[in-house]
Amino acid sequence: MLEEVERWLARRSWSAADRPLDRILAAKRGAGTTVSVVLPALNEEATVGAIVATIRRELMTEAVPLVDELVVLDSGSTDRTAVVAAAAGARVVHRDEVLPRLPALPGKGEVLWRSLLVTEGDVVCFVDADLRDFSADFVSGIVGPLLTEPDVHFVKAMYDRPLGEAVGQGGRVTELVARPLLNLHWPQLAGFVQPLGGEYAARRSLLERLPFPVGYGVELGLLVDALHTVGLDALAQVDVGVRKHRHQDGRALGRMAAAIYRTAQLRLARGHLVRPALTQFERTPEGFVPRTYAVDTEERPPMAGIPEYAQRHAA
């Protein structure tokens, strides 16, 4: 590990307990900073309501007014995700209602990018909507450094990720794909425990300057581009405990891995590459059948260059 990264780990890695809520709230009041929380959601009716309810109950009260805005961005759910989220107290926005002149592409990154157009917070906090046993520390922990440390611009959550009952065995794509890529090509980012985690917060002034890969590569893309934009010392991570969520099967993880590799490849080459595909095999009564999927390669440009966004945030 680079000496620079060792120093960064000592300086920019914290626990949620390091910043009590009263300290975070005092910093928020003093600076007049506003905070938006965004949950990207696709068919998450089983979990989204409890997450929204916890945030409203613990972080959106008169006594604890940490979160100013809570938005669930529905990316085309066919279940009751929108109904459940609204009943729990979130503002629900459908992906296709945002920037309708630009047809939406499938993918999580697309939803995160569009969320910048329908939120107002100076700090934007993203939380996946499939978390179980959700703790408000996932929000307050990663928002805290952005309110108390003026030179921090981007904060990732870190946590244990069990796979069923197996401790520490989650995050398979992280360990097999993302961590080797980062260590080999962006060794300054080798200190991030959960580089692909879906819980992170950043200053709007940074997010609006970054391109967003539309699919699974969004977390790696944002992390790499944030490093190049603001430097390692402006990045941080906070331990928020344990993350329990719905795990995907091996084929879905393969598609995720291909998209993440492609995102890294684009950032290494920044040139024109043929749109790739990934062929996987599925056993059927007739034997193994190949299934070919396009790998997510589209990226949305920095939001600061979108006219509708510029008009909305004109000084």
Side-chain angles (χ1 to χ4, degrees):
M1 184 177 289
L2 298 175
E3 290 185 8
E4 177 186 6
V5 177
E6 292 181 350
R7 292 193 298 270
W8 175 84
L9 278 169
R11 175 174 164 80
R12 292 300 192 212
S13 292
W14 297 293
S15 166
D18 291 336
R19 289 176 178 79
L21 268 175
D22 57 354
R23 179 186 169 195
I24 297 173
L25 289 169
K28 181 178 188 290
R29 285 192 298 269
T33 306
T34 54
V35 176
S36 297
V37 174
V38 173
L39 276 66
L42 177 63
N43 295 330
E44 302 294 357
E45 69 170 286
T47 50
V48 69
I51 298 171
V52 170
T54 298
I55 294 171
R56 288 201 62 88
R57 182 178 64 250
E58 299 188 26
L59 302 177
M60 298 184 73
T61 65
E62 185 175 346
V64 185
L66 180 63
V67 174
D68 301 285
E69 183 179 37
L70 176 55
V71 175
V72 169
L73 227 306
D74 188 350
S75 59
S77 298
T78 56
D79 66 359
R80 299 179 64 253
T81 291
V83 174
V84 170
R91 176 163 65 95
V92 179
V93 180
H94 194 281
R95 173 197 63 196
D96 296 342
E97 298 171 0
V98 185
L99 203 61
R101 71 169 176 84
L102 199 63
L105 296 168
K108 177 185 178 183
E110 177 82 353
V111 175
L112 300 183
W113 183 72
R114 289 175 186 257
S115 76
L116 297 180
L117 262 168
V118 294
T119 54
E120 298 292 341
D122 304 309
V123 168
V124 182
C125 174
F126 298 122
V127 176
D128 281 350
D130 66 341
L131 302 188
R132 295 182 287 109
D133 300 334
F134 177 76
S135 165
D137 285 349
F138 274 73
V139 174
S140 58
I142 58 178
V143 167
L146 294 164
L147 298 176
T148 61
E149 309 287 337
D151 49 352
V152 169
H153 290 258
F154 187 98
V155 183
K156 296 277 298 189
M158 57 178 168
Y159 31 66
D160 295 318
R161 293 184 68 180
L163 180 61
E165 299 302 317
V167 177
Q169 295 302 304
R172 291 161 287 175
V173 176
T174 293
E175 300 304 328
L176 296 175
V177 181
R179 199 176 307 287
L181 281 172
L182 292 175
N183 276 264
L184 289 170
H185 299 296
W186 295 281
Q188 285 179 298
L189 298 174
F192 277 92
V193 176
Q194 296 292 350
L196 300 185
E199 290 69 48
Y200 47 101
R203 300 190 190 280
R204 177 178 295 273
S205 57
L206 172 61
L207 291 173
E208 67 186 12
R209 297 159 59 196
L210 302 180
F212 277 61
V214 301
Y216 287 128
V218 63
E219 272 81 29
L220 184 127
L222 290 177
L223 186 60
V224 168
D225 292 342
L227 172 68
H228 290 307
T229 303
V230 293
L232 180 61
D233 199 53
L235 314 182
Q237 59 185 349
V238 175
D239 187 350
V240 296
V242 179
R243 184 185 196 267
K244 298 179 181 179
H245 66 113
R246 173 175 43 79
H247 292 281
Q248 302 196 55
D249 63 29
R251 284 191 293 272
L253 293 178
R255 296 191 292 275
M256 182 184 297
I260 289 164
Y261 179 81
R262 171 64 170 180
T263 299
Q265 186 183 40
L266 284 172
R267 276 151 181 77
L268 290 169
R270 295 291 184 186
H272 176 71
L273 298 172
V274 176
R275 181 176 177 86
L278 174 72
T279 298
Q280 299 175 314
F281 291 88
E282 180 178 341
R283 181 182 284 282
T284 71
E286 292 74 36
F288 285 103
V289 175
R291 310 284 189 198
T292 299
Y293 302 87
V295 174
D296 294 326
T297 60
E298 300 292 340
E299 297 198 5
R300 293 302 192 187
M303 186 59 79
I306 300 299
E308 290 90 337
Y309 184 84
Q311 292 170 8
R312 184 182 181 96
H313 290 271

